[in-house]
Amino acid sequence: MSEKFLRDEKYKNNINTRVDHHFGDIEKGFKEADYTREETFIGNHVYQAPMEPHASIANIEGDGTILLYSSTQVPHYLHYQLARVFERPLGTIRVVRPHVGGGFGGKAEAAPTDYISICLAMKTGKPVMVQYSRKDMFEHFRGRHKQYITYKIGVKKDGRITAVKSTIYLDGGAYSSFGVISAYYAGSMLATLYKIPNYKYDGYRLYTNKPACGAMRGHGCPQPRFAFESLLTMIAEDLGIDPIKIREINAMDPNTRTVNDLDIRSCELKATLTAVRKKSEWNRKYGKLKPGHGIGIGCGGFVSGAGYPIYRSKFPHSNAIIRITEDGHAAIVEIAAAEIGQGSETVLAQMAAEGLGIPLERIRMKSWDSDISPIDLGAYSSRITLMGGNAVSRAGRDVVEKILPYAAKELEISAEDLVAENGVIRHKSDKKKFMAWSEAARMYFSENGPLVGTGSYSPPEGLGGTYKGAPVGTSPAYSFGASVCEVSVDLETGKVSIEKFTDYHDCGTPINPMAVHGQVEGAIVMGAGETIMEDTVFDDHGRIVNPNLHEYLVMTSKDVPEIFSGLVDSYEPEGPFGAKEVGEGATLPVLGAIAHAIANATGVWVKELPITPEKILKALDEKRKKDEKTSKPKCGCD
Amino acid sequence: MKIPGIKLHNAADLANACSLLEKYGESAKALAGGTDLVVDLKQKRAVFEHIVVLGGIAGLDEIKLRKGILQIGALTSLASLAESRIIKKHLPALSDAASTMATPQVRNMGTIGGNVAMAVPSADLPPTLIAANARIITDSPTGSRIIPIREFFTGPRKTVLGAAELIREIEIDVPPANSGLSYKKFQLRNSAALAVVGVAASLVVEDGKISDACIVLGAVAPTPLIAVKASRSLIGAKPDFEAFANAGKIACEEGKPISDIRGSKEFRCRLIGVLTRRALEEANGRIRTAPKRRKN
Ligand SMILES: Cc1cc2nc3c(=O)[nH]c(=O)nc-3n(C[C@H](O)[C@H](O)[C@H](O)COP(=O)(O)OP(=O)(O)OC[C@H]3O[C@@H](n4cnc5c(N)ncnc54)[C@H](O)[C@@H]3O)c2cc1C
């Protein structure tokens, strides 16, 4: 590379992150293997494309406080960053997060709109709003890294994995953004799904003359997962093993420490595989469909909240205050957890209600104002249900602890024998002995003043190993899922119709099944788009050719398949009421399942995303040529 | 987003619209549904000071059938075209083409006049209109004229229309029963996507043989392109798979596609062949009656 394109002397060859991980002994692992196969895959620059553009409004208040309204999914990180950049105490800044029209990772860091609106408000003394155009959004980017991925997998005859070697180059654009973490995630998360005894990962994140790439739904993992799932299926088919079977053989077990020191607690991957096999009628369809019709399998999963914050901090990751109104009727739940359309307000309210023992309709959420609500690290790494949920349910129980003595006195029952449930406090076994919850709360207030409970959550201490980069991929809990996809492919034009998805997810115990299915459906539509049509296209100078929603193709409602989303029984001890994540994990099985279904329909694997009609036709041509060559009778005379 | 520096003029009728265009000359443009023009103005691809609004003109959004002639007012929306019972009965290919276009919102706003006048190479209506031998009726301060649509397009976004000339309506002779017409579009997603290739094909069959055929290719040349050789290859042939596939092959060689973000030149050439054959097959399927014998 010519010197003049070097971004920074600090980064030789423009390598911004180098990961060099080796767990177990891959040489030994490959020696033990009966069969190995190596393939290279290429990803795409997928953009989050949230409907709502990034927007910020800043005002300098009368007392000098900076007031910032921002469409952010990480109010606290934004807050912290503003304090650092403007060199003033965090307490002199107030961040308000209105309802946010989608983020998917694209709003997971302070944006130029935030800084510019504040600077201009300071200069002008007036409120200032800065909003991105659609084109600005694409140029700000922070979408997926385009990854160049080579996997080598070794297996025993029966399909058991003995070793995996991974080499990934991540095209990261001009700045770091979240890229260092993306480069680690691209390696670390591979080990959670299947038991891999020996694993080597070489990761390189490269600076290029494109917009910066960052975190996006499934952070760093969907492209490696697509590649790995594809190769695992290829190997299964090479060996004549059913592709679901090879996954069952290797599936992670509960309570396992992975080869890279991640602690898996609940894990029902096998159950999801059994369930999709049955529901999709896999046995009747796989290998038995007409040409042009295909069925495919893919698995995936994700962290339920990152084990460590993105900057060194000892603050608990989620913090809640619950304040009960004087009359004991309503509970005001204060937690700065970012609702960005994913429905966190709903599940947090449910869990607060459960913790308090009052009906859901008596809960009012206050999550948008840093002056009102204590910090939650944000809507990223699929963390709010588990972490925010633990915080609000603990705050709820804290309130209950405070009012039980009053009920005990009134009912003349010992506090240990009382439960708070559905607006009453009653004897554990004798339902006839009860009093109104609000009455007990009023008694507390009359004697002590405000009735307030607090709760917070931090992941268990010391998660993960001690090697460099070990914190990335750690989590209190992991989700798992399996998807079966059915497609039809027009073999003359290469056009793919994604017809059906059958998905089973292990999200622990679902707090709100409807919200879970909503996430799964969204993940399938989003994942399908990035598998078959989405790509940010650059010209020779690194300029985006399609910075608009007309030429950057996301799926429309007319492209959406029939979707069945199912859940398996699961309980996560570290989660609130047994719950873990679904938001990001549900994206991960999608890409591999579609790639397999297309291969199953056409007889050719396309290893470069997006799998466009044009690439399918090209692969079919190549296959035809190869078949012709091999079927020619050999006469040895030419 | 507001568009700064434009003046809107609501035209009372088409004559008024034409004279407004004449008065303001180069700084003026007519606006029908605005789904092309407003985008261009917002993106600053076009700058006009005076916008002559056609939307209020009465009677220009009607679809009529008179004496065997379909008359489609220039302001007829794409949605009406897609849903019209008259069009579905007499020229289903045109309602098919309209229903593949854009999105429901854009189809409600966009008009046939705008689609034709805009003369974008990938526009979906022109191929079918050409295959159906449509006539474009225009008004201008110097009078009215009838332009065969085959002579209408001169280049990308270029037509024979004069600066103060506007389309009043589009006329099409109702195709005879022994003919069929079809439009096939390849798009990268099922809605809100422009044609990678569009092919319209018409067939007339007499005594079991093709007596006339017209294949028109969209999105593969600066203007919609009549695949003359491919069309000619069908004359006298039996309307069967072989003849259609052969015509497809010839049409591939006639297209002059470029490579762009929607597809490479090679990919488009291939699509021409497939879509041509499929359009011919569907057109053939639409032939309703056995060809009548001429009685002398
Ligand atoms: C999201 C989106 C998707 C689209 N998808 C498609 C698609 O799939 N296929 C497709 O073909 N097009 C598509 N279009 C383009 C557009 O919607 C159509 O071309 C539509 O028919 C234009 O009609 P209009 O009335 O909106 O034109 P306008 O924008 O009002 O006008 C377009 C041009 O035609 C001129 N004009 C309008 N009426 C007359 C008249 N009566 N006489 C003379 N000149 C006139 C105007 O002066 C202007 O130059 C799309 C547009 C958008 C925004």
Side-chain angles (χ1 to χ4, degrees), chain A residues 490 492-493 495 533 537 545-546 549-556 558-559 613-614 617-618 621 624, chain B residues 99 107 186-194 261-264 266-267 270-271 274-275 277-278:
Chain A
D490 182 331
E492 286 187 311
T493 64
K495 177 107 194 249
M533 59 176 78
V537 181
V545 177
N546 55 344
L549 293 178
H550 201 51
E551 288 162 306
Y552 180 89
L553 301 171
V554 297
M555 301 257 281
T556 70
K558 271 187 144 183
D559 301 287
E614 199 163 349
L617 288 191
K618 218 165 134 201
D621 282 351
R624 222 166 280 138
Chain B
S99 59
R107 287 199 295 274
F186 185 86
Q187 53 194 129
L188 292 168
R189 64 179 170 192
N190 294 335
S191 178
L194 298 183
I261 188 169
R262 286 194 287 280
S264 71
E266 295 72 29
F267 180 52
R270 223 156 138 168
L271 289 175
V274 177
L275 298 190
R277 194 199 74 228
R278 290 182 182 174

Side-chain angles (χ1 to χ4, degrees), chain A residues 550, chain B residues 29-39 54 74-75 78 100-103 106 109-115 117-118 122-125 161 165-168 185 192-195:
Chain A
H550 201 51
Chain B
K29 199 76 186 164
L31 177 120
T35 61
D36 270 322
L37 186 59
V38 173
V39 179
L54 308 181
L75 293 183
L78 304 171
T100 67
M101 290 166 73
T103 60
V106 174
M109 295 298 292
T111 65
I112 185 171
N115 190 248
M118 196 68 196
S122 65
D124 281 303
L125 299 181
L161 282 180
E165 189 176 18
L166 288 170
I167 302 174
R168 167 179 290 281
K185 170 180 183 177
L194 298 183

Side-chain angles (χ1 to χ4, degrees), chain A residues 40-119:
Chain A
T40 295
F41 301 82
I42 302 175
N44 42 348
H45 277 304
V46 178
Y47 180 54
Q48 291 94 346
M51 288 311 285
E52 178 204 50
H54 304 57
S56 314
I57 300 174
N59 191 35
I60 312 305
E61 303 282 272
D63 64 355
T65 305
I66 296 175
L67 168 59
L68 179 74
Y69 295 81
S70 176
S71 63
T72 179
Q73 50 189 112
V74 286
H76 173 67
Y77 289 147
L78 167 62
H79 205 173
Y80 171 79
Q81 195 72 356
L82 294 177
R84 280 186 27 147
V85 170
F86 290 102
E87 296 179 324
R88 51 197 283 171
L90 193 119
T92 65
I93 303 168
R94 177 176 163 210
V95 171
V96 176
R97 173 203 52 79
H99 288 293
V100 173
F104 308 103
K107 296 174 184 166
E109 61 189 74
T113 52
D114 298 315
Y115 300 118
I116 295 169
S117 58
I118 292 173
C119 290

